[in-house]
Amino acid sequence: MSVTVSADADVDAAAPARAVVGVAAPRPRIPFETRLFLPLALLTALAFLLADPEPPLVVQIAAIAILAAVLGMPHGALDPLIARRLGLWRTPLTFAAFNLAYIGVAAVVVALWLIAPVPSLVAFLLISAAHFGSDWNRERPLALRFLTGAALLSLPSLRDQDAVADLYVTLAGDGARAVAAAQAALGPVLLVGLAVAAVIAARRAPHEAFELLGAAALALLAPPLMFFIVYFCALHSTRHLREGFREEHGHGRRLTLLVVAAYTLAPLALAAAFLVGTAGTAALDEQLLRVVFIGLAALTVPHMALVTLGDRALRRATAERTGSPQPVLVHR
């Protein structure tokens, strides 16, 4: 989840090889997260195909809470460093102002969720579709990336609409069942769109096509929560942590680690305080589910605002450098 001003920053994983007369074109390296995600997705899918019955929901919720905290949260903790690269803060005073604004946006998201939970859930899914879809085909139009993300978020409903509906009801009330029904209805069309996105990705970066197909298979074979945690932690978070640390190269790895640790532990402390303060008001598994996903929604909105600012800055910088406002590679 980061922005870089380099238009060719990902040449190690996906840049097209340049034809050189008499010299074999170098093969793109397969990123670490691809080699982590694909075997793990296969093992997870096989495990749940063979598991009868599936592990209890409370076990799945506990797993997603722990893994999201340990592996998922850190990649968003790079946001203060992204903001520094964008010039949003330079002094202790502007750093404090950035943090207050970030926390303020997150608090507004939580408040809106409490006031209008179903519209907030829909908005969160739409934002997440654009965000997750940008893991692939980054140089392609936003519509293709949004379609990819929407497909990934809808395929679990195609597998088990009732299970997804129950999760949504926990997060947003009975009206959220209609959201799962809509995703299940759109699922077959979106699955075709995802296949098209995989074909397009294969032309530039074959590993991205395998990731898309692996994610789709996992979404259709594993329970919704387990699909999300494997994709979110093993692929999405790992990719953006790797890119974020690479972009901070030269600014000091120790500082980067300290920032990631601090901005991971702070929201986890707030979540723990909330769980302790609300103990006994609802089942622990339901409270954990709300904390994980409403918390992710609260942090995703200011993060995406930061990414949008970075996109605009990159387009301006590229236009000034090349004289042509062509799209540039953006790391999210």
Side-chain angles (χ1 to χ4, degrees):
M1 291 186 181
S2 51
V3 181
T4 178
V5 295
S6 174
D8 60 351
D10 212 27
V11 292
D12 63 323
R18 296 174 180 172
V20 179
V21 177
V23 179
R27 297 179 64 183
R29 285 184 291 175
I30 300 175
F32 167 75
E33 61 273 11
T34 307
R35 290 179 275 124
L36 173 67
F37 169 71
L38 288 178
L40 189 56
L42 176 61
L43 290 174
T44 303
L46 288 175
F48 283 102
L49 279 176
L50 299 175
D52 187 23
E54 294 176 356
L57 185 60
V58 64
V59 174
Q60 296 182 45
I61 292 174
I64 196 172
I66 294 170
L67 293 174
V70 175
L71 301 175
M73 290 288 292
H75 80 290
L78 289 165
D79 281 357
L81 301 178
I82 298 172
R84 182 183 63 179
R85 291 201 303 273
L86 292 173
L88 297 182
W89 65 269
R90 285 285 184 266
T91 66
L93 182 60
T94 54
F95 179 62
F98 164 75
N99 281 280
L100 286 174
Y102 200 100
I103 294 169
V105 173
V108 168
V109 173
V110 174
L112 288 175
W113 197 295
L114 297 176
I115 295 169
V118 175
S120 296
L121 173 64
V122 172
F124 175 49
L125 290 171
L126 293 174
I127 292 171
S128 298
H131 182 53
F132 293 147
S134 294
D135 280 347
W136 306 277
N137 287 316
R138 290 175 172 177
E139 81 289 358
R140 303 293 183 179
L142 175 61
L144 177 65
R145 290 178 273 132
F146 177 83
L147 178 67
T148 304
L152 285 181
L153 293 175
S154 297
L155 292 182
S157 290
L158 192 60
R159 174 193 184 270
D160 192 341
Q161 179 182 332
D162 290 338
V164 175
D166 289 342
L167 294 173
Y168 287 174
V169 167
T170 300
L171 295 173
D174 285 334
R177 290 191 182 277
V179 180
Q183 288 181 309
L186 293 171
V189 175
L190 291 173
L191 181 58
V192 173
L194 186 145
V196 171
V199 171
I200 293 173
R203 299 176 60 187
R204 168 185 168 273
H207 70 273
E208 290 192 2
F210 284 106
E211 289 173 1
L212 279 168
L213 296 176
L218 182 64
L220 291 170
L221 295 173
L225 286 179
M226 299 314 298
F227 154 70
F228 179 78
I229 197 62
V230 171
Y231 160 68
F232 184 69
C233 292
L235 182 60
H236 179 79
S237 181
T238 303
R239 170 163 291 161
H240 298 112
L241 269 175
R242 175 180 62 81
E243 292 172 347
F245 273 91
R246 183 183 62 198
E247 290 159 10
E248 287 301 318
H249 181 70
H251 293 283
R253 184 172 293 271
R254 180 176 297 179
L255 173 63
T256 304
L257 289 172
L258 286 173
V259 169
V260 168
Y263 281 82
T264 297
L265 293 174
L268 291 181
L270 287 175
F274 173 81
L275 289 172
V276 171
T278 59
T281 60
L284 179 59
D285 57 337
E286 294 182 356
Q287 288 293 70
L288 277 174
L289 191 68
R290 293 188 185 105
V291 166
V292 169
F293 284 99
I294 298 176
L296 284 176
L299 296 174
T300 295
V301 172
H303 170 74
M304 288 302 295
L306 203 59
V307 168
T308 301
L309 290 175
D311 283 345
R312 293 176 180 175
L314 284 168
R315 291 191 188 100
R316 286 196 299 268
T318 302
E320 292 173 0
R321 186 169 61 251
T322 66
S324 174
Q326 294 180 355
V328 295
L329 181 63
V330 178
H331 290 167
R332 290 175 168 80

